[in-house]
């Protein structure tokens, strides 16, 4: 199996989602430049003290973890929005976990809005950077450049894409880090509307 753990490095491939710039509204699924790196916004969140954060890939956050957290640019605006198309968004309402068999969708900057079903939870995947546990496996396709994409079930945040196998022409398997694990690990609260 080919895990797309290094997808952040391939973000230059196809630009279909906007890249955040100075003063821009931050929307899940868009790209943003953080510390000179082009990263995908998974979800906007904040600490209990109100510091604005972006949940993204670990590579963009400078960690070996598949998912990481970075500071939101000071001149940006954080929102509870996630992109569903080049000119459309939806509002994150919460983080209720979807059951196995439920439909989930994600917006990846490379391949746009794609849906599939939850196939299994608490999965362990080995990839060149190490072993990752606690992942959710889905039938959503992913391609290089989609790592960090936000995963939703309706208006409920599910997690952040960390990789997968296959492609969006033939189909494939993808994995995401459940959002509740990320929020708990970093002491964050999602922006919701």
């Amino acid at each position: 199996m080919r895990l797309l753990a290094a997808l952040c490095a391939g973000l230059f491939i196809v630009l279909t989602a906007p890249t955040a710039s100075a003063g821009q509204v931050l929307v899940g699924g868009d790209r943003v430049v953080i510390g000179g790196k082009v990263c995908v916004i998974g979800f906007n969140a904040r600490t209990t003290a109100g510091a604005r954060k972006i949940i993204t890939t670990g590579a963009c956050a400078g960690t070996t973890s598949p998912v990481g957290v970075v500071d939101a640019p000071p001149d940006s605006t954080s929102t509870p929005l996630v992109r569903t198309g080049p000119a459309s968004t939806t509002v994150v309402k919460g983080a209720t976990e979807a059951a196995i068999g439920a439909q989930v969708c994600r917006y990846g900057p490379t391949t746009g809005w794609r849906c599939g079903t939850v196939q299994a939870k608490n999965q362990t995947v080995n990839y060149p950077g190490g072993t990752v546990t606690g992942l959710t496996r889905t039938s959503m396709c992913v391609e290089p450049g989609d790592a960090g994409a936000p995963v939703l079930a309706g208006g409920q945040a599910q997690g952040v894409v960390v990789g997968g196998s296959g492609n969006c022409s033939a189909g494939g398997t993808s994995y995401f880090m459940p959002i509740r694990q990320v929020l708990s690990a970093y002491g964050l609260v999602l922006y919701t509307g």
Side-chain angles (χ1 to χ4, degrees):
M1 174 182 13
R2 175 178 62 97
L3 184 66
L4 304 175
L7 294 178
C8 193
L11 289 174
F12 59 89
I13 296 174
V14 179
L15 295 178
T16 57
T19 299
S21 58
Q24 186 169 343
V25 174
L26 301 176
V27 176
D30 284 355
R31 290 186 172 95
V32 63
V33 178
I34 302 289
K37 299 176 187 174
V38 179
C39 303
V40 177
I41 300 168
F43 294 95
N44 291 302
R46 63 182 173 270
T47 65
T48 54
R52 298 182 309 114
K53 303 290 182 179
I54 295 172
I55 300 170
T56 185
T57 64
C60 289
T63 73
T64 57
S65 299
V67 175
V69 173
V70 296
D71 293 334
D75 56 353
S76 65
T77 301
S78 298
T79 72
L81 301 176
V82 167
R83 194 157 299 287
T84 56
S88 60
T89 59
T90 190
V91 177
V92 175
K93 302 284 187 184
T96 300
E97 188 175 327
I100 292 174
Q103 183 182 59
V104 290
C105 301
R106 56 91 182 151
Y107 189 87
T110 300
T111 56
W113 185 250
R114 302 289 179 144
C115 298
T117 58
V118 175
Q119 297 175 324
K121 298 185 180 188
N122 298 314
Q123 299 293 290
T124 299
V125 176
N126 296 312
Y127 72 101
T131 300
V132 182
T133 60
L135 299 176
T136 298
R137 186 180 75 223
T138 80
S139 62
M140 291 183 303
C141 67
V142 293
E143 293 187 5
D146 289 331
V151 179
L152 296 169
Q156 301 297 313
Q158 297 301 304
V160 176
V161 171
V162 298
S165 60
N167 59 52
C168 291
S169 296
T173 300
S174 61
Y175 294 87
F176 68 80
M177 179 65 69
I179 195 66
R180 287 182 171 186
Q181 289 182 25
V182 179
L183 297 175
S184 175
Y186 290 95
L188 299 175
V189 177
L190 285 176
Y191 275 80
T192 58

